[in-house]
Amino acid sequence: HAFKEGWPGARVSNLLDDDLMPAYTREGGLTPHITERICALALYAARTGADGILFTCSVFPQAEDLAKRLVRVPLLKPDEAMIAAALDAGSRIGVVATNPPAAPAAAAQLCAAAEGRGVEIHVLESVAEGAFAIGNAGDAATHDRMIVEAAERIADQVDILCLAQVSMAMARAAVQAKVKIPVLTSPGTAVARLK
């Protein structure tokens, strides 16, 4: 969807390992085994002749950093471009997530990026508890409504909102309609950066 909007001329192919999140839960975090699988995905994508690679899971940034060093084409972590745009926008940043581990993962990346720039930020997290499973079950309307509610809980305390997961991108318009501050999604900003 983000490519259709932001770069309709791009030819997109998707590689999916739908066992990565269950493995993360089973193995109790980012194990060497999961890191190896993520690196293998990047290498495979590069071997297919891709000009660029965009990862779409926000929970594995350290593994994606390693994968980046293994391939010769530009590789973007899902949140990299969004984090840069958020830091450009202000020092009080709101992070909204539906998958609980994604909120602290995004907050940690924001803080690391801020430290790299030598700026101080304040990150506020809000989780739409249960919305991830509801979205996966196909109830997009409830999923989006829960995200809007989670965003509204913190919107008046921050300068900008980041929707922490790629799976939340379709809810952006609904959130933006209810809050006065800018709402960023990783696919929208990532597509612009890749282009």
Side-chain angles (χ1 to χ4, degrees):
H1 184 77
F3 275 97
K4 263 193 209 97
E5 271 184 12
W7 193 7
R11 202 170 78 243
V12 178
S13 78
N14 300 292
L15 287 176
L16 172 66
D17 180 348
D18 61 1
D19 182 55
L20 279 174
M21 269 316 294
Y24 180 88
T25 307
R26 274 195 317 271
E27 297 178 22
L30 184 62
T31 59
H33 176 234
I34 294 172
T35 299
E36 196 179 307
R37 286 168 67 173
I38 287 165
C39 290
L41 281 172
L43 287 164
Y44 182 85
R47 280 191 205 114
T48 66
D51 298 313
I53 299 167
L54 172 62
F55 270 97
T56 57
C57 185
S58 313
V59 179
F60 311 116
Q62 302 89 339
E64 291 157 0
D65 279 334
L66 194 59
K68 189 182 281 209
R69 300 209 293 270
L70 299 174
V71 295
R72 289 189 190 88
V73 296
L75 183 153
L76 267 191
K77 295 184 289 187
D79 303 331
E80 213 171 319
M82 177 174 71
I83 285 167
L87 293 177
D88 290 344
S91 61
R92 300 179 314 150
I93 300 167
V95 169
V96 184
T98 59
N99 186 18
Q109 285 191 83
L110 280 159
C111 291
E115 206 174 294
R117 287 190 183 196
V119 295
E120 267 192 35
I121 60 166
H122 176 65
V123 181
L124 208 53
E125 298 172 22
S126 182
V127 177
E129 203 75 56
F132 190 64
I134 286 167
N136 281 345
D139 185 353
T142 303
H143 169 266
D144 291 4
R145 193 186 71 244
M146 290 171 78
I147 291 170
V148 169
E149 287 164 5
E152 286 181 309
R153 284 199 290 273
I154 60 169
D156 58 348
Q157 301 160 68
V158 293
D159 304 315
I160 191 149
L161 282 173
C162 294
L163 302 187
Q165 294 147 246
V166 170
S167 56
M168 300 169 72
M170 300 296 268
R172 196 199 80 82
V175 174
Q176 192 64 83
K178 293 283 190 178
V179 302
K180 293 180 177 69
I181 55 173
V183 180
L184 298 176
T185 66
S186 49
T189 48
V191 166
R193 171 93 171 267
L194 266 180
K195 187 176 180 184

